Structures are given as structure tokens and as C-alpha cells.
Amino acid sequence: MRPVTITGEFLPADQQFWVTDKESAGKAGVWLVSPVLVDDAILLVVRGWQTPPAQPAQFPPVPSGDVTFKAALMPSEDAVTGWDAETRTIGSVRVPAMINVFEQEMWPGIAVGQDEEISAGLTLAELPKPTTSWTSGGRNLGYGLQWWAFVAVIAFMWWRMASEMVRNNQAIA
């Protein structure tokens, strides 16, 4: 997750969609995601969170013109459930699942808005807590140990070949 300042133009309000099954403060709700045109490519921006709307196809208005706002960039989510074009809902913000929905090129990640000006009165979405596993350095340690193992094998093979050459020379003499 990386904090950034984004400048772009929001696509029309009817291009927005809801992402279901999102929690905030222990309550179930949805994210409002708006496509924003940034440098001729679409960036999916989570504008905010709310309890599920009674009529999902109704969206709050989008800011007009070029807008600058603060957000956190992050990779798109892993899991995906079906896209419902009628209600414009989906189960997760996954860029590959949205490529056929939008005609323009898309940014590979998403942005979670952290600016009240673009939230349309919704609660700002909570940023996921960064997680670091206690095994996160295990691959690097294993890679480092692997090189020492290669050195040991090479040293053993050199010793073996040198020993055989000395034995062969002694047997000839």
C-alpha cells in the first residue's frame, strides 16, 4: 500500500459500481468504486463505504473536471465473484475482471480514496492492515543457504577430481 496524490477526471456516475461484502467497524456494507481517467488509463478508486443501498443502480454524483485527491494505491483483490451488469455490483475489486467492462486501458491496481472531497458523503473505506508473516524472510534465507550448498558441492567435486588425478599419476609412475 502506497499513499499518493492523484489527479484525474471521474467518468460519469453511471460507470460506478458497488463492491459487496465489505466490512467497516464490524458492520456489513459495500464500497462505491468509481473509474477515474488518469493519464489516458482508468484507475479504479474506492470512494467510500456504506451499508448496502436499497436500490444498487442509483449512484451518488461524481466530482466534475480534473480533481486532485489523496489515496492509497494497492494491488487489486484476489477473489472475484460474478459481475452483475444490471445492478452494477461485483464481489471484489479485481482489475482483470473489469477489463471487459471498460473500453480504455486500465491501471493494474486500485486506489482507496482517503479524501472527504471525493467520498460523496460516504464513510472513507478502511485501509487493510499491512501483514508481515514471520516467514517472510525465509525465501531469502533459503536462497542464501542454497549458494553455500553450491559452493560446498563444487569444493567437494574439485577435491574428488584432484584426488583421482593424483592417484592416477601415482599408479602410472
Side-chain angles (χ1 to χ4, degrees), residues 15 42 44 65 72 77 84 99 103 105 125 135 151 156 160 162 167-169:
Q15 297 294 305
I42 290 179
L44 298 177
E77 297 178 305
D84 184 349
I99 286 176
E103 294 177 10
E105 188 174 327
T135 62
V151 168
F156 172 75
R160 177 85 187 247
R167 259 191 307 239
N168 289 341
N169 285 337

Side-chain angles (χ1 to χ4, degrees), residues 74-140:
M74 54 190 275
S76 65
E77 297 178 305
D78 291 333
V80 67
T81 56
W83 166 252
D84 184 349
E86 186 176 318
T87 60
R88 295 196 63 82
T89 58
I90 194 166
S92 63
V93 188
R94 183 160 167 75
V95 173
M98 302 306 293
I99 286 176
N100 292 329
V101 175
F102 299 104
E103 294 177 10
Q104 293 97 333
E105 188 174 327
M106 296 187 71
W107 285 75
I110 65 171
V112 179
Q114 297 298 295
D115 201 328
E116 294 283 342
E117 290 181 22
I118 66 159
S119 70
L122 305 175
T123 303
L124 290 178
E126 293 177 1
L127 294 174
K129 305 264 188 279
T131 58
T132 304
S133 169
W134 66 273
T135 62
S136 63
R139 277 187 289 185
N140 294 337

